[in-house]
Amino acid sequence: DLQCADALGEFAPTLRYDAIAVTGALARMPEHFRHWLAPGGRLFAVCGDGPAMAALRITRLGEEEFLEESLFETVLDYLDGAQPTARFDL
């Protein structure tokens, strides 16, 4: 089952997925993204602050066990609503 959705919106899947690809950067990985994975499933996302964001692969090993691997550094545009919080600069 292939689905395209706004994962930061009101997307509330009833299925668990073998593969999830997040197609824009996230300042921080929402915890619930991990729980959309089936056991053995993999999630790819780019997280962090530019100009050096981490391309991550997260694999669900068990019900509450995940392996997170940083694959390489890159930079992408943020998803709408996933930008970092503005910082106060003097």
Side-chain angles (χ1 to χ4, degrees), residues 5-83:
D6 178 359
L8 296 173
E10 296 184 19
F11 181 62
T14 57
L15 302 172
R16 288 190 175 176
Y17 298 96
D18 294 322
I20 298 172
V22 180
T23 59
L26 304 161
R28 283 169 214 62
M29 174 70 67
E31 187 63 30
H32 62 273
F33 280 25
R34 297 169 185 258
H35 295 284
W36 293 342
L37 288 171
R42 293 164 315 283
L43 181 149
F44 174 82
V46 174
C47 297
D49 293 325
M53 299 172 175
L56 302 175
R57 177 176 55 208
I58 299 170
T59 304
R60 187 173 200 155
L61 302 175
E63 195 57 36
E64 294 297 325
E65 187 178 0
F66 300 89
L67 172 64
E68 184 173 310
E69 301 169 276
S70 180
L71 303 174
F72 53 88
E73 290 184 350
T74 189
V75 66
L76 287 178
D77 291 335
Y78 289 101
L79 292 174
D80 288 340
Q83 299 84 353

